[in-house]
Amino acid sequence: MIERTLLSETEIGTRLDELAKEIDERYAGQEILAVGILKGSVFFLTDLLKRLKTPVAVDFLQVRSYSGTSSTGNIQMVHDLSTDIEGRHVLLFEDVVDTGLTLRKILELFSSRHPASLRIAALLKKDIPENRDLSLDFVGFTIGPEFVIGYGLDLDEKYRNLPYVAVWRPEK
Ligand code: IMP
């Protein structure tokens, strides 16, 4: 079901080194609360945090928005944070920003909880009009509109454990 490899393990690793440096510079003298959006961001979050020098605490939340390869447009909180984010420097980790619906909803909710700062790290951003107004602080790669799998990204819970990102080829 793989059409082609889009990002190799080595390419991802090299980009994570660069992102970690950028993040360390941005948060100099501060402590980060890294928040992973389950489940897709887990691979990205753990690999990136291992490269950081900045002190970091970790929490997760889970929302449900997708079924198959298309957005349902409906976002539901499945599992909320166990940490109070008020006064914390929150860095949200997202695997891929597609329409941006998920992030917009989470940003709205988190802003009402008064963090000291709220930033976004996305491994992938799809280059589509729907998400252009969203400002992302740290982006791994900008990709096309294709559906991708691997390195945390799934299709109905499959393929997450591929160590690279690939373009998924729909069955003809
Ligand atoms: P958005 O709300 O449309 O930005 O979609 C964000 C979420 O949809 C991501 O966190 C993924 O879980 C899922 N998603 C969007 N595009 C893809 C894709 O190409 N492959 C796998 N999951 C995707």
Side-chain angles (χ1 to χ4, degrees):
M1 284 298 101
I2 292 172
E3 187 171 282
R4 66 195 152 89
T5 301
L6 189 64
L7 302 165
S8 71
E9 212 175 339
T10 312
E11 283 173 295
I12 295 170
T14 304
R15 185 68 188 122
L16 293 192
D17 289 340
E18 294 167 357
L19 281 180
K21 218 169 151 248
E22 275 180 50
I23 293 173
D24 276 333
E25 280 166 12
R26 183 76 65 91
Y27 287 92
Q30 297 176 336
E31 186 179 317
I32 298 172
L33 173 62
V35 171
I37 305 173
L38 292 171
K39 302 171 194 170
S41 73
V42 169
F43 292 65
F44 170 44
L45 177 140
T46 53
D47 283 350
L48 185 55
L49 294 195
K50 282 186 274 181
R51 290 166 158 86
L52 286 186
K53 296 190 178 74
T54 310
V56 65
V58 186
D59 203 349
F60 294 96
L61 89 162
Q62 187 170 12
V63 292
R64 191 177 289 133
S65 65
Y66 260 70
S67 157
T69 59
S70 61
S71 173
T72 61
N74 206 349
I75 283 135
Q76 190 194 343
M77 179 72 76
V78 178
H79 173 82
D80 204 345
L81 299 179
S82 59
T83 314
D84 182 2
I85 65 169
E86 187 169 346
R88 309 287 298 272
H89 293 289
V90 176
L91 180 56
L92 266 172
F93 282 75
E94 173 71 306
D95 52 3
V96 54
V97 180
D98 187 14
T99 63
L101 266 173
T102 311
L103 267 181
R104 276 194 199 89
K105 263 276 187 300
I106 295 172
L107 287 174
E108 198 182 293
L109 173 71
F110 276 28
S111 299
S112 72
R113 295 178 180 179
H114 310 295
S117 67
L118 182 52
R119 294 195 178 99
I120 303 164
L123 175 69
L124 308 174
K125 178 184 184 177
K126 291 193 185 176
D127 187 17
I128 56 170
E130 287 87 334
N131 65 31
R132 291 222 173 109
D133 62 312
L134 253 179
S135 103
L136 306 177
D137 302 276
F138 308 99
V139 177
F141 303 90
T142 301
I143 62 170
E146 314 96 329
F147 194 83
V148 288
I149 52 172
Y151 200 69
L153 293 150
D154 74 311
L155 173 60
D156 292 335
E157 294 302 327
K158 292 195 290 269
Y159 311 112
R160 283 195 203 278
N161 61 323
L162 294 175
Y164 51 87
V165 174
V167 175
W168 180 72
R169 177 171 56 87
E171 253 170 305
K172 299 263 157 58

